[in-house]
Amino acid sequence: MEGKLLEMFEVGPCEDDYQLGFLIGQRFCNQIRSRLAGDLILQNQLLPFARTQHAQPLLKALSETNQKKFPRYWAELLGTADGSGVPVLDILLVNFRKEILPFISKTTMNSNADTTDDCSDVLIVSDSMAVAAHNEDANVALVGHTYLIKGKLSNGLSFIAYTYAGELPSCAFGLNSQGLAFTLNSVPPVEDEIVPAGIGRNFVSRDLLEATSTADALARIRSSEVSVGHSYNLIDIQKRMILNVETASRSRVSVHEVETTPFFHANMYLHLQVQQVHDENSISRQKRAAVLPQGSKTDFLSLLGDTEDTKYPIYMTGPTLYTLCTAVIDLDERTLTIIEGNPKYGKVSHVFSMSSNELNLKLVNRAEGTHL
């Protein structure tokens, strides 16, 4: 399956956050409308649930909590809805998907039930290299429904964010002009670990795009009373440091600094003690990664492109989950590289370099296919 060309939109500085969202929504209205129309989780579960009386207290509390904590990003979301001409409710539901689905009665769930966004990361900081490599995996419906936002804020900060159509930048990965980057891995806490109407994960990751330091990024994560947990790979290019931060509801956070031993993270908690769902897919990828070579960047890309386990491959090609792209952040080269297709073949679509607090796109000849 081939996705559409990954487009980038440069936007800002804008007069306000609503306009930022409006311009994004307007620019990508076709992708947003197409994504929402074909999103079976939205159409078959979230929207029917949202129309019930049972859903109203949860949706109201989620909206109030997140609007109060992040009024700027809330305005951005409203702008995205208006700019794309879609109902605000639809935009809210896809952005709060992970916070709402646990509260939908199992009897109403069907075969299109949500699956974990099964991303995989391999990270290292050694004398010879400092690299974070990330597979962005999602439901196959997202193929062709993602884009890059290069945003510039009025305070001078700029960011690159890989963005799902209709969602806040970014629930996937991003880099800002302060030399801070992140990738994300979902984690599966059991139902008792989930707190209703907390801060949404999409709002936390949008906030990380504006972090000015590792300490600031950690403070932003810690200050958010989230509903469900998440795993953040914080990458500080200036300090040559990578932290894996696992979070859960009730302000639980665990920080692991990545060093010379390669660190592979799929979709299970590895160091925060939380009751979690037994995810066979994630466990299988974790076991497979443990036996593959991890001595070079080439090894990392081969690992992320591994398809040896046909039931639970690291590199996914459907029918339900699909690896949308692979992101490689090289702290020594100060670059973010996006690879389309299996990363072991290294076909590069975009390379962003960071120098003098500026983010620059290196032109890539897509027809010839630049390779790492």
Side-chain angles (χ1 to χ4, degrees), residues 304-368:
L304 291 179
D306 185 76
T307 56
E308 186 69 23
D309 186 330
T310 55
K311 186 176 183 181
Y312 298 121
I314 295 176
Y315 179 76
M316 305 177 186
T317 56
T320 304
L321 292 167
Y322 196 90
T323 300
L324 302 175
C325 68
T326 299
V328 181
I329 299 166
D330 190 311
L331 286 73
D332 295 326
E333 294 180 358
R334 302 165 71 87
T335 55
L336 163 62
T337 300
I338 299 175
I339 302 170
E340 295 182 325
N342 191 309
K344 67 171 64 176
Y345 306 121
K347 187 175 181 181
V348 173
S349 67
H350 298 77
V351 181
F352 298 95
S353 63
M354 202 211 81
S355 58
S356 303
N357 289 340
E358 288 293 331
L359 295 171
N360 300 300
L361 173 64
K362 294 182 179 180
L363 294 179
V364 173
N365 188 330
R366 293 181 55 88
E368 296 180 3

Side-chain angles (χ1 to χ4, degrees), residues 39 51 89 95 125 170 222 226 272 302 313 344-345 350 352:
D39 188 327
R51 297 184 185 114
L89 177 62
N95 277 274
V125 179
S170 162
R222 291 182 187 277
V226 296
L272 182 61
S302 293
K344 67 171 64 176
Y345 306 121
H350 298 77
F352 298 95

Side-chain angles (χ1 to χ4, degrees), residues 45-65:
Q45 296 177 47
L46 294 172
L47 277 171
F49 174 71
R51 297 184 185 114
T52 67
Q53 283 299 114
H54 176 67
Q56 301 317 304
L58 175 63
L59 296 179
K60 183 174 185 289
L62 268 174
S63 298
E64 291 176 349
T65 300

Side-chain angles (χ1 to χ4, degrees), residues 12 18-19 27 62 113 117 171 195 230 234 301 317 323 329 369:
Y18 176 87
Q19 186 191 36
R27 173 66 179 79
L62 268 174
D117 301 325
C171 67
V195 173
H230 216 23
L234 299 181
L301 295 177
T317 56
T323 300
I329 299 166

Side-chain angles (χ1 to χ4, degrees), residues 25 28-34 36-37 77-92 166:
F28 293 108
C29 62
N30 290 335
Q31 289 95 321
I32 293 171
R33 291 173 184 173
S34 175
L36 297 180
L77 263 192
L78 298 183
T80 300
D82 290 349
S84 59
V86 303
V88 171
L89 177 62
D90 291 19
I91 294 294
L92 294 182

